Amino acid sequence: MKPTCRILTSCRNSALFGFPPAKCYHGLAKNGNLSKFCVNFEQICQFHTNPFRVSGSGHVFDDALKASQVPSWSFGQSGVISRSYSVGTTSRGVSVIARLASKFRNLSTSIETRVNENNFERIYVQGGINVKPVAVERIDKDENVVGEEESRLEVSDEKQNVSNQEGLDEAKVVNAEREYSDIEKDAWKLLRDSVVTYCGTPVGTVAANDPGDKQPLNYDQVFIRDFVPSALAFLLKGEGEIVKNFLLHTLQLQSWEKTVDCYSPGQGLMPASFKVRTVPLDGNKYEEVLDPDFGESAIGRVAPVDSGLWWIILLRAYGKITGDYALQERVDVQTGLKMILNLCLTDGFDMFPSLLVTDGSCMIDRRMGIHGHPLEIQALFYSALRCSREMLALNDGSKILVRAINNRLSALSFHIREYYWVDMKKINEIYRYKTEEYSTEATNKFNIYPEQIPLWLMDWIPEEGGYFIGNLQPAHMDFRFFTLGNLWSIVSSLGTPKQNDSVLNLIEAKWDDLPWSYHNGGSWPTLLWQFTLACLKMGRIDLAQKAAALAEKRLRSDRWPEYYDTRTGKFIGKQSRLYQTWTIAGYLTTKMLLENPEKAALLFWDEDYELLEICVCALSKSGRKKCSRGAAKSQILI
């Protein structure tokens, strides 16, 4: 029998407006169509919690509600949610998608170019259930937007579908003109074999698919961070369905209940992974459920800080490559996006603009002394903020959030460029630091002890080149080289153009120490596609080709391992899984990016010069001075 579909979530101690949920999972439409689940309210469907998760979402949901003109909800005592919409004298179920069509999706930086207090959107819905909105009409002229805009903009579904199809058709052209090599054919077969289906639709890829592995642990699950290279491979090949399904399903798994239980996920947190499980029912029936892991089974029991950041980055990539921007404009997607941002932008006791995290809460899921403000998280955080600024819907509710994003981007870029960067000049400065300085004018602002400079670094770092250190905390600098953070500093323009060039110069000069897949204490092939993206951005295609050639010599013959041991990657990792999906997908993504370098431009960001003009630390009444942007600007102009 065809299984029904449900999503398991953490519903402990939760209640929906005072009514406890009847069961600890959500219902999905019987046909397993998640898209319909998110927007259609058919009589055959019963939701044990709100599909947009009103409970605990606060003003974020209110903003999304206002933006889409969504009617009120009504709740029965059974916990089943129903919704009605009045059309004349008839009350009907309704399907609503927030298609906030915007010509200014790629404009960034200033709040004034993104939001106008007088702008609003009206969504017309006709025909009741299962009918898409006919049009989105924008009224009033935005005087602040660069360039001239028509006073009335109408976007029909037909035009939108044509635009989306053109984007998909364009993506399908990739690799259509040549025959795949044997290694590429093998890689594509392995990638497709790793696909996970849920109710008959593809929703992701397992972390590893080694048929000889008798103890897969959690490698048979779909990880958000692991799926990103798989998603890019499918997108570049013109196969966007699996990526869209993944984005929507993981959105439904997002934690929305805010509780005082310290073992419950925080509001807005995305899971590290999920697994499709089959649950038997009475009468020889069964159902498929999605079971998320928010860290309760992880090594060290830490929450995945990077999952939500990767989700945002992938959401933007999906729109850029396919041209289907309607997905990111949906009410549920906008609401989920805002929830992640609110979680990351929450004020706390930390004085730094960087994101404070615990050890093991990112790709390096072992205790490695990276608690605090690891570079990897800061680079992904910066990238996710830039993505969000492009994708947030234009309405009054998003005004404060966009301003907070701009302020954080400005402060974070200055902080990383100024205090995380080391080269020969900076190391000489740190070597002569005085300690225990007090005042706002102190040179050694974080009380770094010069003795922390490792001896190996003095002889190792080249004259031409530099990098961003792994971590910065009061009285402590982690001088280790972490490739992922440095590569994403290049991709997102978190570093200056000069710094970005210097990082690649360092990698080239220390190629034997920093091979194509180097990540801290081992070699990780999943970094191949990210290295390629950084090289293409900086015009260093030669380095990317050299790395890809090295990978081709070993990956297939070594059965696509998860990682390699020793500094130079001579041995397959002792605990490395074989047929690791991110290794396979990373290689395929690299090949397609090298063959079509123009596609890389859709995935990286150029320098945003207006960020250099924003200063958020000006407190003139208290006598403090504005932080100087002269250092950053001078590096830009050189």
Side-chain angles (χ1 to χ4, degrees):
M1 295 183 62
K2 187 174 182 180
T4 57
C5 311
R6 288 192 274 182
I7 297 178
L8 294 177
T9 59
S10 176
C11 298
R12 297 185 299 273
N13 303 327
S14 64
L16 192 61
F17 291 102
F19 300 110
K23 297 182 181 180
C24 195
Y25 37 73
H26 305 289
L28 281 181
K30 291 182 179 179
N31 61 4
N33 190 321
L34 181 66
S35 178
K36 289 186 178 180
F37 163 69
C38 294
V39 300
N40 292 342
F41 297 82
E42 306 177 54
Q43 293 183 358
I44 63 172
C45 299
Q46 290 185 339
F47 300 91
H48 296 285
T49 62
N50 179 2
F52 295 141
R53 295 178 203 74
V54 185
S55 177
S57 60
H59 68 277
V60 174
F61 180 80
D62 295 335
D63 296 341
L65 196 67
K66 294 174 184 177
S68 61
Q69 302 295 309
V70 176
S72 301
W73 296 85
S74 62
F75 301 89
Q77 298 224 349
S78 65
V80 177
I81 294 180
S82 62
R83 191 171 72 162
S84 62
Y85 188 88
S86 298
V87 182
T89 59
T90 305
S91 180
R92 300 181 178 180
V94 66
S95 167
V96 177
I97 297 179
R99 294 177 179 255
L100 304 173
S102 173
K103 294 172 64 176
F104 318 108
R105 185 173 290 106
N106 296 320
L107 293 179
S108 61
T109 300
S110 66
I111 179 80
E112 288 74 23
T113 61
R114 295 280 301 165
V115 179
N116 187 298
E117 294 184 2
N118 298 322
N119 272 2
F120 60 96
E121 287 75 31
R122 293 179 179 175
I123 300 180
Y124 297 93
V125 182
Q126 300 177 355
I129 203 164
N130 292 330
V131 178
K132 296 181 179 180
V134 175
V136 175
E137 182 179 10
R138 176 172 289 118
I139 303 174
D140 193 34
K141 186 174 181 179
D142 189 344
E143 300 293 345
N144 294 324
V145 177
V146 179
E148 296 184 1
E149 177 195 7
E150 296 82 6
S151 60
R152 182 180 294 261
L153 176 64
E154 296 183 357
V155 181
S156 67
D157 275 336
E158 181 179 356
K159 292 180 179 179
Q160 180 69 46
N161 291 336
V162 170
S163 175
N164 294 345
Q165 186 60 44
E166 289 176 352
L168 291 171
D169 291 341
E170 181 181 355
K172 290 179 181 178
V173 175
V174 178
N175 290 331
E177 297 181 356
R178 70 170 180 86
E179 181 70 19
Y180 285 137
S181 63
D182 289 341
I183 184 175
E184 288 174 288
K185 291 178 181 178
D186 182 44
W188 272 114
K189 181 182 183 303
L190 292 171
L191 181 59
R192 296 192 188 284
D193 289 344
S194 71
V195 170
V196 174
T197 60
Y198 173 63
C199 296
T201 59
V203 294
T205 53
V206 294
N209 194 26
D210 182 3
D213 191 354
K214 304 302 181 183
Q215 292 182 322
L217 299 179
N218 58 351
Y219 283 81
D220 61 350
Q221 298 187 23
V222 180
F223 281 78
I224 288 185
R225 76 170 71 100
D226 291 41
F227 180 68
V228 172
S230 297
L232 293 178
F234 285 122
L235 288 173
L236 291 170
K237 193 171 173 59
E239 302 175 15
E241 178 192 7
I242 185 174
V243 182
K244 183 176 183 179
N245 292 339
F246 171 85
L247 289 167
L248 290 174
H249 277 290
T250 49
L251 178 65
Q252 296 303 315
L253 297 173
Q254 187 181 27
S255 172
W256 286 63
E257 279 99 10
K258 196 169 188 177
T259 72
V260 295
D261 182 358
C262 63
Y263 293 103
S264 293
Q267 188 182 32
L269 182 70
M270 299 295 286
S273 62
F274 66 86
K275 183 178 178 63
V276 179
R277 300 187 187 276
T278 301
V279 179
L281 300 175
D282 296 335
N284 197 27
K285 298 179 180 179
Y286 66 98
E287 65 179 353
E288 288 184 345
V289 297
L290 293 181
D291 187 9
D293 179 7
F294 288 93
E296 57 265 37
S297 300
I299 298 172
R301 300 301 189 267
V302 290
V305 177
D306 59 341
S307 291
L309 306 178
W310 279 119
W311 187 88
I312 293 174
I313 292 170
L314 182 57
L315 178 63
R316 174 188 181 266
Y318 172 84
K320 284 285 188 179
I321 295 176
T322 67
D324 178 14
Y325 293 103
L327 177 65
Q328 62 189 230
E329 293 163 352
R330 288 172 45 152
V331 173
D332 54 342
V333 175
Q334 286 285 312
T335 306
L337 175 61
K338 291 178 182 178
M339 293 299 294
I340 298 173
L341 292 173
N342 277 342
L343 182 64
C344 294
L345 295 171
T346 300
D347 291 332
F349 288 100
D350 193 28
M351 296 285 288
F352 292 4
S354 45
L355 195 60
L356 179 64
V357 300
T358 58
D359 203 354
S361 59
C362 52
M363 176 180 169
I364 312 169
D365 55 1
R366 307 292 195 278
R367 177 166 177 77
M368 294 183 60
I370 59 169
H371 57 280
H373 309 84
L375 175 66
E376 171 183 334
I377 290 296
Q378 313 317 317
L380 292 176
F381 183 35
Y382 187 82
S383 303
L385 291 179
R386 295 199 66 173
C387 290
S388 301
R389 194 172 51 174
E390 296 179 22
M391 297 186 295
L392 279 173
L394 300 176
N395 57 61
D396 289 341
S398 63
K399 181 186 300 184
I400 296 177
L401 188 55
V402 174
R403 181 178 291 115
I405 290 173
N406 282 329
N407 289 341
R408 193 61 167 265
L409 282 170
S410 174
L412 183 59
S413 66
F414 178 77
H415 184 78
I416 298 298
R417 293 175 178 188
E418 187 71 11
Y419 304 123
Y420 275 63
W421 179 254
V422 292
D423 53 15
M424 282 295 294
K425 179 182 178 182
K426 188 59 180 272
I427 292 174
N428 266 293
E429 292 178 7
I430 298 173
Y431 184 74
R432 296 175 57 82
Y433 269 172
K434 296 179 181 179
T435 57
E436 282 76 48
E437 290 185 297
Y438 176 83
S439 80
T440 58
E441 305 299 324
T443 301
N444 187 3
K445 292 181 174 60
F446 305 108
N447 199 33
I448 302 300
Y449 287 81
E451 293 80 6
Q452 291 183 4
I453 302 175
L455 296 177
W456 62 262
L457 180 62
M458 298 180 181
D459 297 327
W460 181 80
I461 193 166
E463 291 289 340
E464 298 295 329
Y467 66 100
F468 294 101
I469 61 172
N471 209 335
L472 174 67
Q473 300 181 72
H476 176 69
M477 295 183 77
D478 185 348
F479 288 95
R480 289 178 293 178
F481 182 90
F482 289 95
T483 305
L484 182 61
N486 275 275
L487 293 181
W488 274 94
S489 296
I490 297 174
V491 171
S492 64
S493 286
L494 176 56
T496 67
K498 182 179 179 180
Q499 288 171 337
N500 295 340
D501 274 329
S502 294
V503 172
L504 293 182
N505 289 339
L506 174 75
I507 293 176
E508 183 178 27
K510 296 296 179 179
W511 189 263
D512 292 336
D513 295 331
L514 306 176
W516 45 270
S517 58
Y518 183 85
H519 190 295
N520 186 51
S523 296
W524 296 80
T526 186
L527 296 174
L528 177 62
W529 71 269
Q530 300 170 82
F531 178 66
T532 300
L533 190 59
C535 289
L536 291 177
K537 178 187 176 181
M538 303 307 298
R540 301 296 302 275
I541 192 172
D542 56 319
L543 287 180
Q545 291 171 335
K546 180 180 179 182
L550 285 174
E552 282 190 327
K553 290 179 180 179
R554 294 197 59 182
L555 293 183
R556 188 187 186 192
S557 60
D558 290 341
R559 294 175 293 173
W560 309 94
E562 178 185 14
Y563 69 95
Y564 290 90
D565 278 333
T566 74
R567 188 182 68 181
T568 56
K570 288 184 177 181
F571 297 97
I572 297 175
K574 184 176 293 186
Q575 299 184 40
S576 175
R577 259 48 185 188
L578 302 180
Y579 301 101
Q580 184 82 12
T581 304
W582 71 9
T583 300
I584 298 165
Y587 166 74
L588 290 173
T589 299
T590 293
K591 293 293 290 186
M592 287 186 281
L593 289 175
L594 287 174
E595 187 171 345
N596 299 273
E598 69 280 0
K599 296 294 182 182
L602 301 175
L603 302 174
F604 61 67
W605 295 261
D606 292 322
E607 178 67 78
D608 189 336
Y609 294 97
E610 293 185 43
L611 281 178
L612 300 177
E613 304 298 333
I614 302 174
C615 182
V616 297
C617 59
L619 298 173
S620 57
K621 293 184 179 180
S622 66
R624 295 185 185 181
K625 297 180 180 179
K626 287 187 178 182
C627 63
S628 171
R629 294 305 173 106
K633 290 181 182 179
S634 65
Q635 294 192 62
I636 292 291
L637 298 176
I638 289 178

